[in-house]
Amino acid sequence: MLPTESKKALSFKRCIEDGDLVIVYERHDVMKPVKVTKDGVLQNRFGFYRHSDWIGKPLGTKVLSNKGKFVYLLAPTPELWTLVLSHRTQILYIADISFVVMYLEVVPGCVVLESGTGSGSLSTSLARAVAPTGHVYSFDFHEQRAVCAREDFEKTGISSLVTVEVRDIQGQGFPEKLSGLADSVFLDLPQPWLAVPSAAKMLKEDGVLCSFSPCIEQVQRTCEVLRSDFIEIRTFEVLLRTYEVKEMKVETGAMIGESHDEEDNGGQRPSKRKHISNDDGYAVSQDNSSSPTSVVMARPCSEARGHTGYLTFARLQCLS
Ligand SMILES: C[S@@+](CC[C@H](N)C(=O)[O-])C[C@H]1O[C@@H](n2cnc3c(N)ncnc32)[C@H](O)[C@@H]1O
């Protein structure tokens, strides 16, 4: 459920009710979606938690297990849902999703067409962006995936904002009834170039199309077709680098390789914090005013996601 208080406003102040979906948050990398039921019990390595203790508490509440260990009960926002949803297909992740929503210019009231629906990862963010008056029409030719996506949209409270239809978009194109109504179209298909002529028909004047493809050969073929009806064709690859930041105790100055303080900072005044890097590639910030052995370290996460795909954007050429 998106935390909607009335049909118009998004709110995180809403209290948890029987039947709600919440994200149970242990750590940033340990979360799971749980449907709240008045007789339900959640068990994890910290003990057990009765759902009845959760009902009536606001989203964001910290709740204790029988052993006094806590988890947070969070609203299933698109950002969190993308991290916990069940993967029935490859999905779009936060970096690509953010870029798509921004460059497709998706705002409240927009009509957005999407194919394929896949696991509904992107659809969830599109739905929030068009709410409360817009709509997302999502198409997938795989019947079971469409059924699961509808169930998920029901659970997350966005079913009034997204319509899922079973349709072969590469073979049949988008339905005529949506012709000229779309502010934007998003394609995540194996042969997106086959759907481009139909996407052009669906778009309003100045409408924007985006196609996501993992391989550059798919991008080339799509761009060749885009050139007949679209302008401003641009392709991006979005790479996200996440940093691990840790406070650590360091035995001596022996492990410290380089120092960038007074002597090598161009004669600038020495700062209270010393910035150095150690042999493990961590950038180290040492606070001179407290214990000299306590340091804050930062380095890029080792399991950071690399290439996901290319995002090609294009704007429908106006005839007038
Ligand atoms: C990679 S998934 C989409 C993932 C989605 N963007 C997400 O974020 O969850 C691609 C989807 O396209 C669907 N698909 C493939 N060919 C199709 C076609 N011709 N028409 C409609 N859907 C198609 C597949 O069934 C699959 O579910």
Side-chain angles (χ1 to χ4, degrees):
M1 151 250 332
L2 285 172
T4 44
E5 200 158 60
S6 69
K7 286 213 163 68
K8 291 208 172 103
L10 290 174
S11 167
F12 293 93
K13 293 199 186 113
R14 207 169 123 338
C15 287
I16 297 166
E17 291 169 13
D18 186 16
D20 277 353
L21 180 79
V22 295
I23 308 289
V24 175
Y25 177 104
E26 283 182 36
R27 292 193 325 227
H28 74 92
D29 53 351
V30 185
M31 288 182 252
K32 76 187 251 188
V34 173
K35 185 175 175 185
V36 179
T37 56
K38 57 183 187 323
D39 303 320
V41 175
L42 169 76
Q43 231 166 337
N44 68 8
R45 62 205 165 103
F46 299 141
F48 65 83
Y49 306 76
R50 289 185 200 289
H51 293 195
S52 53
D53 296 337
W54 303 353
I55 293 171
K57 300 228 165 82
L59 288 161
T61 295
K62 193 171 168 178
V63 289
L64 298 178
S65 72
N66 60 322
K67 294 181 182 163
K69 303 280 186 185
F70 68 84
V71 292
Y72 290 98
L73 305 177
L74 303 183
T77 59
E79 296 79 9
L80 296 180
W81 182 247
T82 290
L83 300 174
V84 299
L85 58 75
S86 72
H87 286 213
R88 301 176 286 271
T89 60
Q90 288 284 355
I91 66 163
L92 257 67
Y93 292 94
I94 286 170
D96 287 320
I97 291 174
S98 322
F99 208 79
V100 168
V101 171
M102 186 87 167
Y103 268 52
L104 278 186
E105 303 164 2
V106 185
V107 293
C110 277
V111 171
V112 183
L113 273 49
E114 172 200 39
S115 184
T117 313
S119 306
S121 174
L122 175 68
S123 331
T124 308
S125 286
L126 292 175
R128 181 176 62 179
V130 303
T133 50
H135 204 82
V136 178
Y137 294 91
S138 189
F139 300 87
D140 204 297
F141 71 174
H142 193 290
E143 205 150 340
Q144 193 50 40
R145 283 185 196 143
V147 170
C148 293
R150 281 190 209 111
E151 285 170 4
D152 277 357
F153 299 152
E154 196 66 52
K155 280 195 257 171
T156 51
I158 56 168
S159 56
S160 63
L161 296 164
V162 191
T163 303
V164 184
E165 278 184 35
V166 177
R167 190 174 174 95
D168 174 2
I169 294 297
Q170 289 179 179
Q172 302 169 268
F174 291 97
E176 276 305 317
K177 64 179 183 205
L178 295 171
S179 196
L181 297 182
D183 295 283
S184 45
V185 174
F186 179 83
L187 305 175
D188 183 354
L189 293 168
Q191 296 172 295
W193 55 90
L194 297 178
V196 167
S198 162
K201 276 209 221 163
M202 300 299 120
L203 283 167
K204 293 179 185 166
E205 275 196 7
D206 262 355
V208 188
L209 174 143
C210 175
S211 175
F212 174 89
S213 294
C215 305
I216 201 69
E217 292 78 7
Q218 292 168 299
V219 175
Q220 285 168 327
R221 290 197 68 172
T222 306
C223 288
E224 275 163 25
V225 178
L226 282 172
R227 277 157 58 180
S228 48
D229 288 317
F230 289 84
I231 53 169
E232 296 174 25
I233 303 168
R234 291 182 294 172
T235 297
F236 302 87
E237 182 183 10
V238 183
L239 299 172
L240 180 72
R241 179 183 282 182
T242 310
Y243 275 76
E244 252 173 80
V245 180
K246 283 188 190 165
E247 184 158 10
M248 287 183 166
K249 299 271 180 225
V250 178
E251 285 293 315
T252 65
M255 68 176 287
I256 294 165
E258 244 177 89
S259 156
H260 305 295
D261 58 355
E262 197 180 8
E263 279 170 20
D264 57 2
N265 72 354
Q268 286 171 18
R269 285 160 68 87
S271 67
K272 201 169 159 201
R273 296 185 84 82
K274 239 179 175 180
H275 296 283
I276 44 191
S277 58
N278 71 12
D279 293 343
D280 297 335
Y282 273 107
V284 179
S285 176
Q286 188 172 354
D287 191 339
N288 294 337
S289 63
S290 60
S291 163
T293 56
S294 171
V295 291
V296 175
M297 297 183 160
R299 74 166 178 193
C301 285
S302 46
E303 74 273 15
R305 214 179 303 281
H307 173 77
T308 54
Y310 301 100
L311 290 168
T312 299
F313 292 85
R315 190 178 293 280
L316 187 67
Q317 188 159 25
C318 291
L319 295 177
S320 51

